[in-house]
């Protein structure tokens, strides 16, 4: 058998200081997730009526509801948990470290899900899915939702080959179109190009989180091996 006793630093400080440092990094990244998620939720709230009217596909529904909300919730949880992680690591609280590690594992699984969803949505060509739904709604009886979206995105029609419905495309006081850009290009520049970024960010955070979990586990082992009173974790 290989003796692994000496693989873990004898002084907890060499474990808790890096753990606190990595938690500080994750706290900053958690704020980034909160900002990205908040922007996403705010942006896609304008697509709520469109999603209902278009009887959207699962990919479109996930993009407009699940993904932004998921990023926001994980970000908030991250901000809170990393602060707790710094506290229990600094105080070397055994029970707190165990709970912290378990929660980090749960978030790691959630991050993998969000990152995978972002990459999958990109690969499934979200722009194409939204374009098909856009065209269907434009030619339907509830195309007023399209007019609202065009005003929000500052564009006219989905693409250059779309049917030029005279009731669509916001007009100025002279009856001329306010905008010249097509909506597929505007939407793609705002969303599609950033989906890989979201996925990559989730993977990066997951790697740092995994390192935190390792330091936390090593610190738990070192604390368990050190002599202490029974009331140590409750002081």
């Amino acid at each position: 058998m290989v003796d692994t006793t000496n693989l873990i630093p004898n002084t907890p400080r060499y474990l808790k200081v890096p753990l606190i440092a990595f938690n500080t990094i994750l706290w900053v990244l958690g704020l980034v997730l909160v900002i990205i998620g908040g922007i996403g939720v705010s942006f896609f709230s304008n697509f709520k009526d469109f999603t209902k009217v278009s009887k959207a596909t699962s990919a479109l529904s996930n993009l407009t509801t699940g993904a932004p909300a998921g990023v926001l919730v994980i970000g908030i949880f991250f901000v809170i948990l990393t602060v707790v992680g710094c506290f229990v690591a600094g105080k070397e609280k055994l029970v707190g470290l165990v709970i912290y590690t378990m929660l980090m594992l749960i978030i790691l699984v959630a991050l993998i899900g969000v990152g995978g969803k972002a990459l999958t949505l990109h690969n499934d060509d979200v722009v194409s899915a939204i374009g098909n739904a856009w065209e269907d709604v434009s030619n339907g009886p509830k195309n007023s939702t399209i007019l609202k979206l065009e005003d929000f995105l500052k564009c006219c029609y989905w693409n250059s080959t779309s049917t030029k419905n005279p009731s669509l495309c916001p007009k100025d006081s002279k009856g001329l179109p306010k905008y010249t850009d097509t909506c597929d290009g505007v939407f793609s520049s705002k969303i599609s190009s950033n989906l890989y970024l979201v996925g990559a960010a989730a993977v990066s955070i997951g790697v740092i989180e995994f390192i935190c979990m390792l330091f936390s586990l090593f610190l738990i082992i070192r604390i368990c091996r050190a002599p202490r009173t029974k009331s140590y974790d409750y002081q």
Side-chain angles (χ1 to χ4, degrees):
M1 297 290 291
V2 178
D3 185 8
T4 59
T5 303
N6 294 327
L7 296 179
I8 301 176
N10 292 324
T11 305
R13 177 175 42 182
Y14 295 117
L15 292 170
K16 70 180 184 180
V17 171
L19 179 57
I20 292 173
F22 279 118
N23 269 284
T24 302
I25 296 173
L26 287 178
W27 183 83
V28 175
L29 293 175
L31 285 180
V32 173
L33 287 180
V34 170
I35 294 172
I36 293 176
I39 292 174
V41 169
S42 176
F43 178 83
F44 282 113
S45 63
N46 294 277
F47 286 75
K48 183 177 180 180
D49 293 337
F50 169 73
T51 304
K52 291 181 180 179
V53 172
S54 64
K55 298 179 181 179
T57 62
S58 59
L60 180 56
S61 298
N62 286 335
L63 176 67
T64 57
T65 55
V71 171
L72 179 61
V73 171
I74 291 176
I76 294 174
F77 200 24
F78 242 128
V79 169
I80 298 173
L81 185 59
T82 50
V83 172
V84 174
C86 289
F87 174 78
V88 296
K91 296 292 185 179
E92 298 178 25
K93 296 295 184 180
L94 180 60
V95 175
L97 284 168
V98 172
I99 296 174
Y100 163 82
T101 304
M102 293 175 62
L103 292 176
M104 287 291 271
L105 178 60
I106 294 174
I107 295 183
L108 180 61
V109 174
L111 270 176
I112 293 173
V114 171
K117 180 179 290 186
L119 294 174
T120 302
L121 286 171
H122 186 93
N123 293 332
D124 287 342
D125 198 357
V126 176
V127 175
S128 177
I130 290 182
N132 293 333
W134 190 290
E135 294 291 350
D136 291 340
V137 176
S138 295
N139 298 319
K142 297 183 179 180
N143 57 15
S144 58
T145 57
I146 296 296
L147 189 61
K148 293 178 182 178
L149 281 179
E150 288 177 330
D151 224 359
F152 170 67
L153 295 173
K154 294 179 171 43
C155 58
C156 278
Y157 308 114
W158 180 248
N159 54 38
S160 57
T161 62
S162 299
T163 303
K164 302 299 187 290
N165 190 328
S167 64
L168 300 179
C169 189
K171 309 291 192 305
D172 59 19
S173 58
K174 297 180 180 179
L176 299 175
K178 287 184 179 179
Y179 316 112
T180 57
D181 295 330
T182 55
C183 297
D184 61 338
V186 174
F187 186 86
S188 179
S189 64
K190 289 180 178 292
I191 300 299
S192 183
S193 61
N194 293 323
L195 287 177
Y196 270 133
L197 181 60
V198 173
V203 173
S204 300
I205 293 173
V207 171
I208 299 176
E209 184 181 356
F210 181 73
I211 296 174
C212 281
M213 290 174 59
L214 290 179
F215 273 105
S216 180
L217 288 172
F218 292 151
L219 184 56
I220 289 171
I221 295 172
R222 177 51 61 198
I223 292 174
C224 288
R225 290 176 177 174
R228 54 193 172 82
T229 62
K230 292 183 178 180
S231 60
Y232 177 83
D233 292 318
Y234 305 99
Q235 293 176 356

